[in-house]
Amino acid sequence: MARITAGIASSHVPLLGVASDQGKDRDEYFGPIFAGYDWTRTWMEAERPDVIILVYNDHASAFDMTVIPTFAIGCGERYKPADEGWGPRPVPDVAGHPDLAWHIAQSLILDEFDMTIINEMAVDHGLTVPLSMMFGKPEKWPCKVVPLAVNVVTYPPPSGNRCWALGEAIRKAVESFPEDLNVQIWGTGGMSHQLQGPRAGLINAEWDNSFLDRLAGDSDDLRHIPHIDYLREAGSEGIELVMWLIMRGALGAAAKALHRHYHVPCSNTAIGHMVLRPDNGEGFDMSGSDRQRSATP
Amino acid sequence: MARITAGIASSHVPLLGVASDQGKDRDEYFGPIFAGYDWTRTWMEAERPDVIILVYNDHASAFDMTVIPTFAIGCGERYKPADEGWGPRPVPDVAGHPDLAWHIAQSLILDEFDMTIINEMAVDHGLTVPLSMMFGKPEKWPCKVVPLAVNVVTYPPPSGNRCWALGEAIRKAVESFPEDLNVQIWGTGGMSHQLQGPRAGLINAEWDNSFLDRLAGDSDDLRHIPHIDYLREAGSEGIELVMWLIMRGALGAAAKALHRHYHVPCSNTAIGHMVLRPDNGEGFDMSGSDRQRSATP
Amino acid sequence: MTRDIHAYLAELEDIPGTRVFTAERARQGYHLNQFAMSLMSEESRVRFTRDERAYLDAWPMSEAQKQAVLDRDYNRCLDLGGNIYFLSKLFATDGISFAEAVSTMTGMDFDSYRKMMAAGGRSPDGQRSIREGR
Amino acid sequence: MTRDIHAYLAELEDIPGTRVFTAERARQGYHLNQFAMSLMSEESRVRFTRDERAYLDAWPMSEAQKQAVLDRDYNRCLDLGGNIYFLSKLFATDGISFAEAVSTMTGMDFDSYRKMMAAGGRSPDGQRSIREGR
Ligand SMILES: [Fe+3]
Ligand SMILES: [Fe+3]
């Protein structure tokens, strides 16, 4: 049986991709940001997930105005980095996991989520920057990825409640997948930022930290935050945080924080990052993952 | 306030488009089929809807395997007939109603339906054949259309329950649109047919007629029919009937049948057609529609 | 409606003479279906008609899929992941009707198939379930 | 979360210095955004850079939209229905960073904007609601 062993929240600022690609990740500006991911990179070596369900939003890269899906799940074999205006990022292609992705897609539709199935698309910084933050610069990404693209650009995005519920249904779907897979789910985007208009540059560290506080534990009150509160408190692009709720919903009733990092600024944005473990009596011990993996080279 | 004044169910067999386009609609084979729509065409002259919400499925015309939306709502200005392999049908372009369509799309997303918004697409026989059946061969279609494309090709399609609930939410959305519009909703496809394999040609008149019986009245038990029952009883392509439930859900708790027509065969298919009026105390009197329309040429 | 996807999918395989277009078939038939859909323009249809083999060879389809297309063996196309709505672009290109193309999958000639349809179609009796034989 | 779309949309207009990308803006900016997105290939960027006016004239955009693009007036682009993620393809083509492009909308020069960000960013105080002045 496949199981969701961890959830990761992370900003996905495009400039972090640039910093990584140009080797500036330890300079004065970026050093403190990347340092907050060092714990996670080490931890990840022991965890060795087989698949990441990577919740992100497309930033007008794969989807233009002709087709705007609320929830799009990538069921393809392979995804190329998008050319976002300065050429594609020089990072490896992303390998999909069509077996798991189709299983989740089918299960979600039976559970009355109105998914859009995607078989071919380019993936932009929303997906590739978190991979760089968590894995650095490998020749190839060390695991498969199921992209889950959420519309947070054209209004209205899905409600926080709907996102949380989607996470809950994803958990159920993963647990009914017969193969023994170590699956992580990542929620990306945020934290507070506004990229447009005279109000651009807004940062709300207090609100962000309260959001991080409430992400762990056994309350689900984050799901009830209305969109307008994200916009007022965390800037127009702070709405991306609804995607973290899909991740959180997939961890079950309770989750504990293993690691937490917050830094201002990166470009226009407040960086937030958290590693969470489901805390519903599973008692995950990932030390076995290493052994299992090394047996099959 | 906009209101849904009627619901129409109709098969959308491509051959009916061919018959209409080639002027064979009153020959020996097609005469009895088209005759069953005569009542509706006359009735439509008095009803004069402003907009049709036209629920149909794309048959691998606008959507190929790269993108498969469960529920796609057309918010564009204009849709061209698709080339389905024998050239586009020689029928007028379909004019959209972006104001109403976007209003419905936004409302549905707030109501936690995970819509895909479409701004540009070609429309195939699933949408244009019902227009021909109801309106004949006008120079231009007499009303605007909001296309609502439902995936019933790649499994699983949405459940009957989800379709019915979507209809309920559409009703609410239409009623919150400020402009005074006469809106009909059409559910198309079906009835029993199977287009593939050794079992092709299956027709189940008894099951179809029971479905028609239960479409009117105040029961919502049709929403609970599982997919497998459609397939076993009404053939693999009989699953299209779930789209009728979106129409029916949008009529409210009760609906009365104004007209009913059933004929076997048309090509591989059982033709079913029904005109329904919401029956929840609205007391629709459409004789006013004519006056209103003739005042504004 | 069952919410267990495994039970749901298993039931779909229990219908005689029917291949439901599940994820498994959609994946197997991906390029076969995309090929068929490419016939939605006159220019493609002309190119295909002129040299079917050359046209097919531009698609990453299996040899079996290509042969099934060349043979117009629609049951075989379905077995190899084809979907009838995609394949309809192929028989439209050939200028044959939906009913005629469909009849080729039933083991009947077109005339007998038409007569069956005119007489009310194929009865569902005995065609509902392999397992239950009803 | 309010389920009334009118109230929902009205609230979105209550935020100082912010244009939320609603249906209304999406419709107005449709071709402006599609133009910007066309800059996702090197070939298009070269053509655009060589003759911006000619490239823009191939799009059914309003003259005001074209002029706003030529002027790189991003606030004006937003007023005319542009969305920042679409427009980012334009400033990427120009080779300027997200932060620099964004700073041009704030009435600050880039250096002051950067300093503001380094000092913790713009405070939300007084920036939450026009109506409530908080
Ligand atoms: Fe983002
Ligand atoms: Fe159909």
Side-chain angles (χ1 to χ4, degrees):
Chain A
M1 174 184 109
R3 56 204 175 132
I4 293 183
T5 59
I8 294 184
S10 177
S11 307
H12 59 210
V13 182
L15 191 62
L16 291 176
V18 178
S20 170
D21 299 343
Q22 301 183 352
K24 296 181 183 162
D25 41 310
R26 299 294 156 169
D27 76 9
E28 200 187 336
Y29 188 85
F30 293 105
I33 298 168
F34 281 82
Y37 288 81
D38 287 341
W39 184 94
T40 311
R41 290 193 194 184
T42 305
W43 171 83
M44 202 65 98
E45 304 264 315
E47 295 285 312
R48 307 188 81 122
D50 299 299
V51 194
I52 313 294
I53 299 169
L54 209 161
V55 183
Y56 75 110
N57 67 296
D58 180 76
H59 305 77
S61 303
F63 304 117
D64 63 8
M65 292 308 297
T66 61
V67 181
I68 308 166
T70 294
F71 293 134
I73 181 165
C75 295
E77 298 279 354
R78 193 143 218 96
Y79 310 94
K80 290 209 168 291
D83 179 341
E84 300 179 58
W86 62 87
R89 286 191 64 201
V91 292
D93 285 0
V94 174
H97 196 301
D99 285 345
L100 180 64
W102 273 104
H103 170 81
I104 294 173
Q106 294 178 116
S107 302
L108 291 176
I109 293 167
L110 274 197
D111 269 348
E112 305 199 334
F113 290 85
D114 316 313
M115 306 307 290
T116 292
I117 291 167
I118 304 285
N119 279 303
E120 299 176 39
M121 66 175 171
V123 290
D124 73 11
H125 70 268
L127 186 137
T128 63
V129 163
L131 289 173
S132 296
M133 299 312 287
M134 255 53 85
F135 295 126
K137 298 176 216 183
E139 280 291 300
K140 52 174 278 201
W141 301 119
C143 57
K144 308 284 179 77
V145 173
V146 175
L148 179 55
V150 179
N151 169 47
V152 292
V153 174
T154 304
Y155 273 70
S159 70
N161 183 61
R162 186 67 175 165
C163 287
W164 193 291
L166 179 66
E168 292 171 325
I170 288 171
R171 177 182 173 88
K172 231 184 75 186
V174 168
E175 289 179 352
S176 70
F177 188 72
E179 204 180 319
D180 188 20
L181 291 177
N182 174 359
V183 180
Q184 290 186 356
I185 182 164
W186 298 4
T188 74
M191 298 190 81
S192 57
H193 64 308
Q194 172 149 342
L195 302 177
Q196 50 129 330
R199 190 177 181 249
L202 186 137
I203 299 286
N204 191 341
E206 195 184 329
W207 196 87
D208 286 348
N209 277 289
S210 156
F211 194 93
L212 288 168
D213 290 344
R214 293 146 81 195
L215 204 57
D218 59 7
S219 162
D220 69 348
D221 61 345
L222 289 178
R223 72 197 291 171
H224 302 301
I225 300 175
H227 289 164
I228 187 71
D229 285 12
Y230 289 93
L231 299 174
R232 291 199 203 280
E233 298 292 342
S236 52
E237 278 61 57
I239 190 67
E240 290 186 339
L241 287 168
V242 296
M243 296 185 290
W244 291 24
L245 303 185
I246 298 175
M247 175 276 287
R248 178 61 190 82
L251 301 183
K256 64 167 178 269
L258 303 183
H259 174 64
R260 175 172 170 164
H261 172 48
Y262 186 75
H263 177 89
V264 175
C266 174
S267 181
N268 307 283
T269 306
I271 297 293
H273 168 48
M274 202 158 181
V275 178
L276 293 155
R277 182 79 86 195
D279 191 21
N280 308 286
E282 295 94 337
F284 289 111
D285 172 11
M286 304 314 296
S287 51
S289 307
D290 262 310
R291 283 198 307 276
Q292 194 182 4
R293 183 71 62 106
S294 54
T296 55
Chain B
M1 174 184 110
R3 57 207 174 130
I4 293 183
T5 59
I8 295 184
S10 177
S11 307
H12 59 209
V13 183
L15 191 62
L16 291 176
V18 177
S20 171
D21 300 342
Q22 301 184 350
K24 296 180 184 162
D25 41 310
R26 299 293 156 168
D27 75 8
E28 201 188 335
Y29 187 85
F30 292 106
I33 297 169
F34 281 82
Y37 288 82
D38 287 342
W39 183 94
T40 311
R41 289 193 195 184
T42 305
W43 170 83
M44 203 65 98
E45 305 263 314
E47 295 285 313
R48 307 188 81 123
D50 299 298
V51 194
I52 312 295
I53 299 168
L54 208 162
V55 183
Y56 75 111
N57 67 297
D58 180 76
H59 304 77
S61 303
F63 305 116
D64 63 8
M65 292 308 296
T66 61
V67 181
I68 307 167
T70 294
F71 292 135
I73 180 165
C75 295
E77 298 278 354
R78 194 143 220 95
Y79 310 95
K80 291 208 167 292
D83 179 342
E84 299 178 58
W86 61 86
R89 285 192 66 202
V91 292
D93 285 1
V94 174
H97 196 301
D99 286 344
L100 180 64
W102 273 105
H103 170 81
I104 294 172
Q106 294 178 116
S107 302
L108 291 176
I109 293 167
L110 274 198
D111 269 348
E112 306 199 334
F113 289 85
D114 316 312
M115 306 307 292
T116 292
I117 291 168
I118 304 285
N119 279 303
E120 299 176 39
M121 65 174 170
V123 290
D124 73 10
H125 71 268
L127 186 136
T128 63
V129 162
L131 288 173
S132 297
M133 298 312 287
M134 255 52 84
F135 294 126
K137 298 177 216 181
E139 280 292 300
K140 52 174 278 201
W141 301 118
C143 57
K144 308 286 180 72
V145 173
V146 175
L148 180 55
V150 179
N151 169 46
V152 293
V153 174
T154 304
Y155 272 70
S159 70
N161 183 60
R162 186 68 176 166
C163 287
W164 194 290
L166 178 66
E168 293 172 324
I170 288 172
R171 177 184 174 86
K172 231 185 75 186
V174 168
E175 290 179 351
S176 70
F177 188 70
E179 205 180 319
D180 189 19
L181 290 177
N182 175 358
V183 179
Q184 289 186 356
I185 183 164
W186 297 4
T188 74
M191 297 192 81
S192 57
H193 63 307
Q194 172 149 342
L195 303 177
Q196 50 128 329
R199 190 178 182 249
L202 185 135
I203 300 285
N204 191 340
E206 194 184 328
W207 196 87
D208 286 347
N209 277 288
S210 156
F211 194 92
L212 288 169
D213 292 344
R214 294 147 80 196
L215 204 57
D218 59 7
S219 162
D220 70 346
D221 63 343
L222 288 179
R223 74 196 290 170
H224 303 301
I225 299 174
H227 289 164
I228 188 70
D229 285 13
Y230 289 94
L231 299 173
R232 291 199 203 280
E233 297 292 342
S236 51
E237 278 62 57
I239 190 66
E240 290 187 339
L241 288 167
V242 295
M243 296 186 289
W244 292 25
L245 303 185
I246 298 175
M247 175 275 288
R248 179 59 190 84
L251 302 183
K256 64 167 177 272
L258 303 183
H259 174 66
R260 175 171 169 164
H261 172 48
Y262 185 77
H263 177 89
V264 174
C266 173
S267 182
N268 306 285
T269 306
I271 297 293
H273 168 47
M274 201 159 183
V275 179
L276 293 155
R277 181 79 87 196
D279 191 21
N280 307 288
E282 295 94 337
F284 290 112
D285 172 9
M286 305 313 297
S287 51
S289 306
D290 262 310
R291 282 198 307 277
Q292 194 183 4
R293 183 71 62 104
S294 53
T296 54
Chain C
M1 172 144 169
T2 172
R3 292 288 182 85
D4 173 336
I5 187 69
H6 304 296
Y8 177 91
L9 293 172
E11 273 181 340
L12 298 180
E13 301 305 316
D14 180 49
I15 304 172
T18 304
R19 291 89 156 174
V20 182
F21 195 59
T22 53
E24 195 180 331
R25 291 196 176 87
R27 290 171 64 184
Q28 186 191 3
Y30 194 88
H31 294 292
L32 168 57
N33 289 319
Q34 293 292 77
F35 142 74
M37 196 145 170
S38 75
L39 300 175
M40 287 182 69
S41 79
E42 186 57 25
E43 187 264 325
S44 301
R45 292 190 289 269
V46 168
R47 272 201 300 125
F48 174 70
T49 309
R50 196 173 292 146
D51 187 344
E52 297 195 1
R53 182 80 224 184
Y55 191 97
L56 286 166
D57 282 341
W59 291 86
M61 295 159 60
S62 71
E63 184 53 34
Q65 288 174 325
K66 292 178 192 174
Q67 196 57 52
V69 169
L70 292 169
D71 297 343
R72 302 297 191 272
D73 184 340
Y74 288 108
N75 273 327
R76 185 98 182 99
C77 286
L78 294 179
D79 284 337
L80 299 170
N83 171 276
I84 197 65
Y85 293 123
F86 287 83
L87 296 171
S88 73
K89 279 60 176 170
L90 177 59
F91 51 76
T93 299
D94 288 340
I96 71 168
S97 72
F98 228 115
E100 184 172 350
V102 164
S103 73
T104 67
M105 293 180 264
T106 61
M108 304 167 83
D109 62 45
F110 186 34
D111 198 50
S112 313
Y113 181 79
R114 257 194 307 211
K115 282 185 183 133
M116 174 183 79
M117 293 314 296
R122 183 186 307 281
S123 165
D125 293 342
Q127 299 284 323
R128 291 182 175 92
S129 166
I130 298 166
R131 197 161 20 84
E132 299 167 23
R134 57 172 178 122
Chain D
M1 173 144 167
T2 172
R3 291 288 182 85
D4 173 336
I5 187 68
H6 304 295
Y8 177 91
L9 292 172
E11 275 181 338
L12 297 180
E13 300 305 316
D14 180 49
I15 303 171
T18 304
R19 291 88 156 174
V20 181
F21 196 59
T22 53
E24 197 181 328
R25 291 195 177 86
R27 288 171 65 184
Q28 187 192 3
Y30 194 89
H31 295 291
L32 167 57
N33 290 319
Q34 293 292 78
F35 142 74
M37 199 147 168
S38 75
L39 300 174
M40 286 181 70
S41 80
E42 186 57 24
E43 187 264 326
S44 301
R45 294 191 287 269
V46 167
R47 272 201 302 123
F48 173 71
T49 309
R50 197 173 292 146
D51 186 344
E52 297 195 2
R53 182 80 225 186
Y55 191 97
L56 286 166
D57 282 342
W59 292 85
M61 294 159 61
S62 71
E63 183 53 35
Q65 288 173 327
K66 292 178 191 174
Q67 196 56 53
V69 169
L70 292 170
D71 297 343
R72 304 297 193 271
D73 184 341
Y74 289 109
N75 272 327
R76 186 99 182 98
C77 286
L78 295 179
D79 284 337
L80 299 171
N83 172 277
I84 197 65
Y85 293 123
F86 287 83
L87 296 172
S88 72
K89 280 60 177 172
L90 176 60
F91 53 75
T93 299
D94 288 340
I96 71 169
S97 72
F98 228 115
E100 183 173 352
V102 164
S103 73
T104 67
M105 291 180 265
T106 61
M108 303 167 83
D109 61 46
F110 184 33
D111 198 51
S112 312
Y113 181 79
R114 257 195 306 212
K115 282 184 183 135
M116 175 183 77
M117 293 314 297
R122 184 186 306 282
S123 164
D125 293 340
Q127 301 284 323
R128 290 181 175 92
S129 166
I130 299 166
R131 197 163 18 85
E132 299 168 22
R134 57 173 177 122

